[in-house]
Amino acid sequence: MGLTWCSTNGVLILYLLNRKWPVYGPVLIYSAFMKLIYMVLISALFFSSCVMREFNPVFESSKVAVSYPSGSTISRIGDKFYLMGDDSAEILVLDKHMEETERIPVFTRGEEMRLPKESKADIESSVVIAIKDKPAVLFLGSGSLSPHRDSSFLLNPELKEVDRIDSRAFFDELRREVRDLNIEAAALLSEELLLGLRANTSNPDNYIAIAGIKEGSVTFKRKILIRTSLRNAGISGMDYHQEEDLLFFTFSSEDTSNAYDDGKIGESYLGFLPNAREALQQQELVVERIVQLSSLSPEFLDQKIESVSIMNEPRKLMLVADDDEGNSKIFTVRY
């Protein structure tokens, strides 16, 4: 982003500095003085615009989702947020104030609120896509246990209907690319689907898988290695800001050596990548701007941040967390 603004303002500066400023005999000194002022002001504009945007997130608020287990992913359409838990039977719909508006059933459950671990679909990521020019939410299973977790689910928010999609062929292709497949994050960039493939202590590399997507049909293209300064932290969420060309990440640390078992919760992090389009053309993606969320507020302690969504307000994000005890917590952060 900084480079884009720098280039744009550079063109403006060249235009202004080379412009023929009018000079009239009696006001020659005055005109020269005014031109000097213009040059100083424009130079200040140039240097300030070339500085890359700072990333200083600030905790704003939090709220526990009542009687809703294991919040894992959240996506926004307008001012509505669609939240899904990896062992929940329903989609929780929230407004921009984090207030529940309704629940949309996806699975049938028994007396227990949480679905059984050994057979759940393990929905861990979601993204808003267009189906016949209308927005829909695509929820993805993690692929960490075949065949139970090899499905995707398409929500029509108008009809409040959910259709299951067998994604095993696509997930099998991803398994040939990475060991211990665990899809934990998703974002959309133009007509490409970005999937965050989570690391664990046995397989410490995080990846982004890039796939073409059209009307819900997904085709694998390539993968990108994610490099950060974090140790034992896996990608857990993503969202892309198209107008600002920013890619947001969440990472969380967990003491587990595989994609199936939970482990002791460690710290969670929020990351920020400017100039994302250009960065995603490379074979490796370096995320340097990362903040440990517990440094913003003790509210983040013992919370495994699972997902991030850009809100319909300037420089504001919504995060969702799972505490591995069956609870979900929602946060808002300014950046």
Side-chain angles (χ1 to χ4, degrees):
M1 176 187 297
L3 294 178
T4 302
W5 277 99
C6 182
S7 300
T8 303
N9 287 328
V11 173
L12 174 63
I13 290 164
L14 289 174
Y15 165 74
L16 291 173
L17 291 180
N18 286 284
R19 183 178 171 189
K20 299 296 184 181
W21 298 92
V23 176
Y24 304 101
V27 291
L28 178 62
I29 296 175
Y30 175 78
S31 296
F33 178 70
M34 290 304 297
K35 186 173 181 180
L36 177 62
I37 291 176
Y38 272 110
M39 291 175 66
V40 171
L41 291 176
I42 293 168
S43 296
L45 172 65
F46 175 76
F47 287 114
S48 65
S49 65
C50 287
V51 175
M52 297 292 281
R53 172 182 284 185
E54 291 296 322
F55 182 51
N56 298 306
V58 178
F59 167 76
E60 186 175 77
S61 63
S62 69
K63 186 172 186 176
V64 174
V66 178
S67 301
Y68 190 82
S70 312
S72 294
T73 183
I74 189 165
S75 289
R76 176 181 66 85
I77 298 177
D79 281 331
K80 287 189 176 181
F81 294 84
Y82 297 85
L83 189 155
M84 187 65 186
D86 60 48
D87 54 17
S88 176
E90 305 164 308
I91 298 167
L92 178 65
V93 185
L94 306 171
D95 63 18
K96 64 180 180 180
H97 304 296
M98 301 187 288
E99 296 288 344
E100 178 179 339
T101 61
E102 62 181 319
R103 299 190 181 200
I104 301 172
V106 181
F107 308 109
T108 301
R109 66 175 176 89
E111 296 180 0
E112 296 294 326
M113 184 176 295
R114 303 171 71 182
L115 299 175
K117 182 173 183 176
E118 62 275 7
S119 60
K120 68 178 182 178
D122 199 36
I123 294 172
E124 294 279 5
S125 60
S126 60
V127 66
V128 176
I129 63 173
I131 300 293
K132 296 181 179 178
D133 296 325
K134 291 188 176 181
V137 185
L138 180 66
F139 294 93
L140 296 104
S142 67
S144 58
L145 181 66
S146 187
H148 304 291
R149 303 179 180 186
D150 287 354
S151 296
S152 303
F153 300 85
L154 190 63
L155 167 67
N156 182 323
E158 289 186 357
L159 300 178
K160 301 175 186 178
E161 295 178 349
V162 179
D163 294 323
R164 177 185 173 276
I165 302 169
D166 185 347
S167 302
R168 190 182 310 181
F170 175 64
F171 285 10
D172 282 344
E173 191 169 7
L174 293 181
R175 290 188 185 98
R176 292 190 287 271
E177 294 291 331
V178 297
R179 296 178 60 187
D180 220 4
L181 178 65
N182 190 9
I183 303 169
E184 287 276 342
L188 193 69
L189 197 161
S190 298
E191 294 186 356
E192 289 188 326
L193 177 65
L194 312 180
L195 298 177
L197 311 183
R198 183 176 172 87
N200 55 54
T201 56
S202 296
N203 300 287
D205 291 332
N206 291 286
Y207 290 92
I208 291 179
I210 297 183
I213 183 167
K214 191 170 184 179
E215 294 290 324
S217 178
V218 182
T219 307
F220 175 76
K221 291 184 176 181
R222 59 191 177 92
K223 69 177 188 291
I224 303 172
L225 177 66
I226 303 173
R227 292 201 180 277
T228 72
S229 60
L230 304 176
R231 294 187 61 189
N232 299 325
I235 187 171
S236 61
M238 279 193 301
D239 202 6
Y240 177 66
H241 197 307
Q242 181 174 341
E243 290 78 12
E244 298 186 12
D245 194 23
L246 302 176
L247 187 60
F248 292 94
F249 298 88
T250 55
F251 298 89
S252 62
S253 57
E254 186 179 19
D255 187 13
T256 181
S257 61
N258 59 71
Y260 180 78
D261 294 315
D262 293 322
K264 183 180 178 181
I265 294 175
E267 294 286 349
S268 289
Y269 307 86
L270 178 64
F272 166 100
L273 180 73
N275 305 313
R277 282 183 184 276
E278 181 180 348
L280 288 165
Q281 301 304 312
Q282 311 304 315
Q283 293 183 337
E284 295 185 1
L285 192 69
V286 180
V287 184
E288 296 178 334
R289 303 179 185 194
I290 298 177
V291 173
Q292 183 175 302
L293 287 167
S294 64
S295 70
L296 307 184
S297 169
E299 294 276 346
F300 289 103
L301 291 171
D302 300 320
Q303 298 289 326
K304 184 170 60 177
I305 297 297
E306 296 272 12
S307 187
V308 56
S309 180
I310 297 163
M311 299 186 70
N312 196 20
E313 298 180 37
R315 299 177 71 86
K316 189 172 180 179
L317 306 172
M318 186 177 286
L319 310 175
V320 63
D322 172 11
D323 65 359
D324 281 345
E325 299 294 332
N327 302 304
S328 303
K329 195 169 185 177
I330 310 147
F331 302 84
T332 59
V333 170
R334 295 279 183 182
Y335 67 93

